[in-house]
Amino acid sequence: MAGGHYFYRAVWRWHFYAGLFVVPFMLMLAITGIIYLFKPQLDAWMYRDLLFVTPGPVALAAESQLDTARGSHAGATPLSLTAGAAADRSTQVNLVLADGREMAVFVDPYIGRVLGERNERRNLQYYALKLHGELLLGTVGDWIVELAACWALVLLVTGVYLWWPRDGLRLWGVWLPRLSRHSSRIFWRDLHSVTGIYSSVLVAFLLITGLPWAIFWGTSFAQVWNRYPPYMYNGAPQSGIRTGRLNEGVGKVVPWAAEQLPMPESMPASSSVHHNHDAASGHAEDSAVAPHVNLDEVLTIARHAGAPAGFTVTLPPDAKGVYTVSAVVDDPRDETVIHIDQYSGAILADARWRDYGLVAKAVSMGIDIHEGKFFGLANQLVMLLGCLAVIVMSVSGTVMWWRRRPEGRLGAPAIGVPLRLWKGAVAIAILMGLLLPLMGLSLLVVLTLDYAVIARIPGLRATVG
């Protein structure tokens, strides 16, 4: 019994530590997550004049639309073109301006008129996404968010253990909050625990499906599990740059499952690699440089290859670059990444759902559900419930701590842990380190501080406890 008491107090202490660190970040993730969750509705409301057009009989050539957008800013370099997913949608052309800013220019595809533009780094959805992923701090912020997500998993596991009824499965206080009690402390405790137990699986899903985006765990995970059959590259020369490089701008161009693909290179017809490509397309094998494929031809190639409506074409950045056709859509089974030779029009690589491994398929499906895209509005509402639960738990947990916190002290639950439990905690930290390296490292640091420093200095122990 004494050992069980020690263990309960130890779990409570770790729940406290995790909550103290995680709560500010979880509130931020929940609020920004709600904003980005409803990005389609927000975009349609905020940018209706840019996104919607009156359908006409025939759309203008893509090259003409690209020239129209480029002409709106002197010295601009076009990055990509996204044709509307429906007949009443505009064409979006992303430009890099002479001053380095990235601007989205929207063109009516039927009359060739510029509808307006949007600074892709100066809008609500962009800030929500960057706060959600990296706290607007770049790589450092990405590491912090990853660490917070890992500790949030600890918070959930320890929370379920603390909630578990040890005196029978009663209704009030376990499955429903005790609203009739006069003690507000009991109300906040029940609100916290009951919300937590009902939402624990959903919140855990949100955290786990968010980790593949993390800079450390996500990249390592993808390199280990995300593999493609070698025949996809058809012998094309590879640049060594990952396809995911296309996602380093302001938007998500390439789906997660294809980010680790190496980028192929385009080569002139004089290259031996492309002699067969040229022969197949009718070009003379001895020509010095094959004719360039224009944007309209790329759109035709992509449509014939079955790319879904609304795909983006990223333009070749240099003489060896390729056209990249990509689609990040609501259903991951329609995700597409096609690299096309800019000289011959040959498809150098084509990555689809059929090429994903089992893990890549699971992660891709999880990401789309995480973003509220897979089964429409119902998906958004379910994920909204998860975000609201995080807010309720964060606020109620903070209120509970503030009310029970002794004056001038942090208020961590006191514990005298036997050596055998301390060794068990180290073993758990090692296991966590194998699964979540950042989490394991931080857990060892906190364990060392708690049991080797705080517990041995009376003044510090009194302040923390």
Side-chain angles (χ1 to χ4, degrees):
M1 182 65 69
H5 173 73
Y6 276 129
F7 189 73
Y8 183 89
R9 301 286 292 188
V11 172
W12 187 10
R13 190 175 181 91
W14 285 109
H15 189 77
F16 172 84
Y17 280 149
L20 207 61
F21 167 61
V22 161
V23 160
F25 299 106
M26 293 302 289
L27 280 171
M28 180 275 300
L29 289 173
I31 294 169
T32 55
I34 290 173
I35 294 172
Y36 203 74
L37 187 63
F38 291 96
K39 184 180 186 298
Q41 290 90 335
L42 285 171
D43 281 348
W45 173 61
M46 296 172 65
Y47 307 114
R48 174 163 290 276
D49 293 342
L50 301 179
L51 299 178
F52 293 90
V53 299
T54 300
V58 180
L60 299 173
E63 285 283 355
S64 174
Q65 297 179 54
L66 184 70
D67 289 340
T68 298
R70 179 166 40 199
S72 66
H73 287 277
T77 301
L79 286 179
S80 63
L81 179 143
T82 303
D88 64 343
R89 291 300 186 113
S90 63
T91 298
Q92 177 178 332
V93 178
N94 278 31
L95 305 173
V96 175
L97 306 188
D99 59 7
R101 289 180 297 152
E102 185 170 331
M103 193 72 68
V105 177
F106 297 86
V107 178
D108 187 320
Y110 303 102
I111 61 176
R113 181 172 65 89
V114 172
L115 302 173
E117 60 188 33
R118 182 177 67 203
N119 188 322
E120 294 296 80
R121 296 183 188 271
R122 294 289 185 274
N123 61 75
L124 174 65
Q125 290 84 322
Y126 171 78
Y127 285 124
L129 179 62
K130 288 301 180 181
L131 273 170
H132 194 80
E134 58 185 44
L135 308 175
L136 294 176
L137 296 175
T139 301
V140 172
D142 201 322
W143 284 63
I144 294 173
V145 170
E146 179 176 349
L147 193 58
C150 293
W151 274 94
L153 289 171
V154 174
L155 198 63
L156 283 176
V157 173
T158 55
V160 170
Y161 177 84
L162 294 172
W163 165 87
W164 194 267
R166 289 158 181 80
D167 54 355
L169 288 175
R170 63 185 187 278
L171 179 64
W172 297 101
V174 175
W175 298 109
L176 293 173
R178 289 168 284 187
L179 304 176
S180 60
R181 297 295 184 93
H182 296 294
S183 172
S184 60
R185 181 174 175 177
I186 290 177
F187 165 77
W188 286 108
R189 180 264 177 201
D190 286 0
L191 180 64
H192 184 79
S193 62
V194 172
T195 300
I197 199 60
Y198 281 123
S199 64
S200 57
V201 173
L202 179 56
V203 175
F205 173 83
L206 284 169
L207 292 168
I208 292 170
T209 53
L211 280 174
W213 285 306
I215 190 170
F216 182 80
W217 191 89
T219 301
S220 302
F221 179 80
Q223 289 175 345
V224 171
W225 291 105
N226 208 12
R227 292 291 180 266
Y228 291 87
Y231 63 78
M232 289 178 55
Y233 306 109
N234 299 323
Q238 297 171 16
S239 65
I241 300 173
R242 291 181 296 107
T243 299
R245 179 82 170 269
L246 300 177
N247 285 347
E248 292 177 3
V250 297
K252 184 179 179 184
V253 179
V254 179
W256 176 87
E259 286 187 344
Q260 301 301 318
L261 280 173
M263 290 279 284
E265 290 183 351
S266 287
M267 296 291 286
S270 57
S271 168
S272 60
V273 175
H274 286 274
H275 281 173
N276 291 334
H277 292 164
D278 294 330
S281 59
H283 298 311
E285 289 190 359
D286 57 354
S287 64
V289 177
H292 286 260
V293 176
N294 67 36
L295 188 55
D296 290 279
E297 291 173 310
V298 170
L299 264 64
T300 299
I301 293 169
R303 287 169 181 146
H304 284 169
F311 60 81
T312 295
V313 178
T314 303
L315 307 180
D318 52 39
K320 289 189 176 182
V322 296
Y323 286 104
T324 296
V325 174
S326 55
V328 181
V329 289
D330 293 348
D331 190 332
R333 292 168 294 186
D334 293 327
E335 289 178 352
T336 302
V337 176
I338 304 173
H339 297 299
I340 299 174
D341 189 300
Q342 65 168 301
Y343 302 105
S344 68
I347 293 177
L348 304 178
D350 185 346
R352 312 286 182 98
W353 177 263
R354 62 176 180 260
D355 303 303
Y356 295 177
L358 182 61
V359 173
K361 287 181 177 179
V363 172
S364 294
M365 186 69 73
I367 286 174
D368 276 21
I369 295 174
H370 178 109
E371 293 182 328
K373 299 192 304 184
F374 185 60
F375 48 95
L377 180 61
N379 195 161
Q380 290 176 304
L381 295 177
V382 171
M383 297 302 107
L384 174 63
L385 287 177
C387 293
L388 294 176
V390 168
I391 293 173
V392 169
M393 288 188 289
S394 298
V395 171
S396 58
T398 301
V399 171
M400 288 166 57
W401 164 66
W402 190 258
R403 290 195 169 197
R404 68 172 291 276
R405 179 182 62 90
E407 186 69 29
R409 293 162 59 189
L410 189 60
I415 179 176
V417 182
L419 182 61
R420 59 184 178 84
L421 288 182
W422 187 89
K423 290 180 178 178
V426 172
I428 293 173
I430 293 173
L431 177 61
M432 293 297 291
L434 295 175
L435 298 175
L436 303 167
L438 277 183
M439 167 65 202
L441 179 61
S442 65
L443 187 56
L444 283 173
V445 170
V446 176
L447 274 170
T448 302
L449 288 174
D450 197 26
Y451 296 121
V453 179
I454 295 175
R456 297 177 183 277
I457 302 176
L460 190 59
R461 185 171 65 243
T463 301
V464 173

